[in-house]
Amino acid sequence: MHLYAQAITILIHRQLTGLTMRQNVGIFIFDDVEVLDFAGPFEVFSRTRLMPGLASRRSGDDAPYAVFTVAERAAPITATGGLVVTPTYDFATAPAIDVLVVPGGWGTRPLLQHRPVLDWIRATASCARLVTSVCSGALLLAGSGMLAGKRATTHWGALDALEQIDPSISVVRDARVVHDGVITSAGISAGIDMALDVVEVSLGVAVANDTAHYMEYRRFVQPSSGEQPRPATRDAP
């Protein structure tokens, strides 16, 4: 009976939010991308199911998201630590993206001067339902003009850089996830919390909590301010 009631609640939520079809989640990857920045959201979105428990995750029949990676070119990229990843699509072949995820890593710095990437982010974001970033991926959103006049956060080591790229951004230094039209998150593991937030907004808290439970991940408590607090960190070495 509990599963039936939850299924009805999910269907009503999807009807109210207009989400009746599977959403495409496109995760941008590039050389020197931080692994957990893209792998964390990939895990969340790819393992989300509308029905709770293990059985629904044995297939993709109940998956509300189709998740894939996108790179500028079809060639494999080398992530931080030497992990080699082959993107699902390149810029020319990627399907329409509903949820855009822009991760971070040291590879974001040279891309700030690479017009094809900034143009692709801007064009893709203009057609997406939701634009998100993890870690220093916020720098690329800022360089694309997507954060102008908005509140945003990033990895603690990139907060000053975010301010310098676009002084109109109100940089939030003490939050783990910030919602202001665009959703930005703090460093690395915060991308998991960001993705779970997206699931909650789209599909409801029960689905988000069940996804976290499946992953054995303890969600950060969402305070009444609508922002997740950033844990204390030591100064950069």
Side-chain angles (χ1 to χ4, degrees):
M1 185 65 179
H2 170 72
L3 295 181
Y4 177 77
Q6 181 166 328
I8 294 299
T9 300
I10 291 166
L11 287 173
I12 293 172
H13 182 87
R14 286 170 68 84
Q15 290 174 348
L16 291 174
T17 56
L19 298 176
T20 56
M21 298 178 62
R22 185 170 293 180
Q23 298 182 74
N24 283 343
V25 179
I27 303 178
F28 175 47
I29 58 173
F30 46 88
D31 284 331
D32 290 323
V33 63
E34 190 72 44
V35 173
L36 194 57
D37 280 17
F38 73 86
F42 194 104
E43 177 72 11
V44 171
F45 290 121
S46 67
R47 304 313 293 153
T48 296
R49 295 293 184 271
L50 298 181
M51 294 301 296
L54 296 175
S56 64
R57 292 177 168 89
R58 291 177 181 150
S59 76
D61 295 343
D62 196 37
Y65 300 106
V67 192
F68 50 82
T69 55
V70 184
E72 183 179 4
R73 290 176 293 274
I77 63 97
T78 303
T80 300
L83 178 67
V84 177
V85 181
T86 301
T88 314
Y89 299 104
D90 61 15
F91 286 176
T93 60
I97 291 173
D98 299 302
V99 180
L100 174 63
V101 180
V102 180
W106 289 112
T108 57
R109 275 57 171 188
L111 293 182
L112 286 169
Q113 309 303 321
H114 190 52
R115 184 56 52 188
V117 163
L118 299 181
D119 288 346
W120 180 83
I121 290 174
R122 188 181 303 109
T124 303
S126 69
C127 300
R129 287 177 179 266
L130 188 60
V131 178
T132 71
S133 68
V134 184
C135 194
S136 55
L139 304 185
L140 295 179
L141 293 186
S144 303
M146 303 306 303
L147 297 179
K150 295 182 181 295
R151 298 163 61 255
T153 195
T154 184
H155 188 281
W156 58 269
L159 292 166
D160 291 342
L162 185 59
E163 280 187 336
Q164 292 165 6
I165 290 171
D166 185 349
S168 77
I169 299 171
S170 178
V171 176
V172 183
R173 294 174 173 267
D174 59 354
R176 189 166 175 84
V177 180
V178 173
H179 296 246
D180 191 1
V182 174
I183 301 180
T184 55
S185 59
I188 309 177
S189 63
I192 297 174
D193 299 288
M194 177 278 292
L196 288 168
D197 273 13
V198 172
V199 172
E200 179 172 336
V201 170
S202 299
L203 301 171
V205 65
V207 175
N209 286 345
D210 179 69
T211 303
H213 175 65
Y214 172 78
M215 294 171 58
E216 298 205 84
Y217 182 79
R218 181 174 295 179
R219 298 184 70 187
F220 277 73
V221 175
Q222 188 85 1
S224 58
S225 64
E227 291 174 0
Q228 295 181 359
R230 181 193 300 264
T233 56
R234 62 175 183 164
D235 292 338

